[in-house]
Amino acid sequence: FFFDQLSLLWRDILSLASIDTKSRIPTQNTMRVLALLATFVAAANAFGVGSLSSFTGTSITLEPTYVVRGAPAGRSDLSMMRHRNKLKKLNKPADQRKALLRALTTEVIRHGRIKTTLVRAKAVRKHVDHMIELGKRGDLHARRQALGWVYDKDLVHSLFEAAPERYSDRNGGYTRVLRTMPRQGDNAKMAVIELV
């Protein structure tokens, strides 16, 4: 019954549109009729009608076409630029951030292992590795650079004595970050950073 009414409506629409077969330029009414027809075809396809013979008198089968564009493995399909991501800001102004990283670097070198948040551990890892590289170099300029960053002067001297023997066979990766249980109060991700 539904399709009979649609076929009657179809015939009325075609007569109202007055489609001129001789003219090659589609009129505005023609475009409206074509849009309405496309809507009917899509609706019939949504209701699961494979053959639309009641509409046009000929057999039309519609098969959906899917275009699948997969992203490369390990990447999302959104690629955005890395603006302002050179370093983690740690929710602090530059002077406080530098003081925090200097203090954490000093404590990692002093104790060999500290517990802090995961983001801070990943941020301080670069500075600790740099201090150990300076200790392995061992020249005067490297010593003065380390003294400008690490708070404890005696700790720098002991680092420059121990680093060349301890890390002679290793060319980087002097620290290890291990995840631990989240912090009790605010559920922040915690980690242990330690010297290898």
Side-chain angles (χ1 to χ4, degrees):
F1 178 70
F2 173 71
F3 292 110
D4 294 335
Q5 286 182 344
L6 280 180
S7 63
L8 292 175
L9 183 63
W10 180 286
R11 206 172 313 133
D12 294 338
I13 289 173
L14 287 178
S15 65
L16 287 174
S18 65
I19 297 177
D20 187 11
T21 57
K22 296 175 187 171
S23 172
R24 300 272 177 174
I25 303 171
T27 63
Q28 191 173 8
N29 286 341
T30 307
M31 296 306 291
R32 287 182 182 161
V33 168
L34 290 177
L36 189 60
L37 292 178
T39 306
F40 283 148
V41 170
N45 192 23
F47 283 117
V49 177
S51 170
L52 301 176
S53 58
S54 60
F55 285 108
T56 60
T58 59
S59 176
I60 301 173
T61 56
L62 297 176
E63 295 180 8
T65 305
Y66 299 105
V67 177
V68 178
R69 231 183 56 175
R75 287 178 36 194
S76 68
D77 49 348
L78 274 180
S79 60
M80 301 190 64
M81 300 187 78
R82 297 184 63 254
H83 293 306
R84 297 170 59 91
N85 282 338
K86 183 177 180 180
L87 53 92
K88 291 292 185 183
K89 293 191 176 293
L90 304 176
N91 287 329
K92 296 195 179 308
D95 57 341
Q96 295 178 19
R97 182 169 56 248
K98 182 179 177 184
L100 173 70
L101 291 173
R102 287 180 67 187
L104 287 174
T105 304
T106 304
E107 294 307 310
V108 169
I109 294 172
R110 175 178 290 131
H111 298 291
R113 174 186 179 108
I114 63 168
K115 180 179 177 182
T116 182
T117 63
L118 180 64
V119 178
R120 287 179 181 180
K122 287 181 177 180
V124 79
R125 177 173 49 186
K126 174 176 105 171
H127 298 287
V128 175
D129 285 353
H130 181 59
M131 290 303 116
I132 293 175
E133 283 288 339
L134 293 176
K136 282 177 65 176
R137 253 178 42 203
D139 57 347
L140 181 61
H141 180 54
R143 187 177 295 261
R144 286 181 173 162
Q145 283 181 313
L147 285 170
W149 185 261
V150 177
Y151 282 128
D152 191 356
K153 183 177 179 179
D154 297 330
L155 187 63
V156 172
H157 294 316
S158 62
L159 172 68
F160 273 67
E161 290 171 6
E165 299 92 33
R166 182 173 175 180
Y167 298 110
S168 60
D169 58 341
R170 185 178 288 268
N171 294 323
Y174 306 112
T175 54
R176 179 185 299 129
V177 175
L178 303 170
R179 295 170 185 253
T180 59
M181 296 298 292
R183 189 157 55 196
Q184 188 74 32
D186 58 353
N187 205 29
K189 294 179 181 177
M190 299 298 286
V192 170
I193 180 168
E194 61 185 9
L195 296 176
V196 176

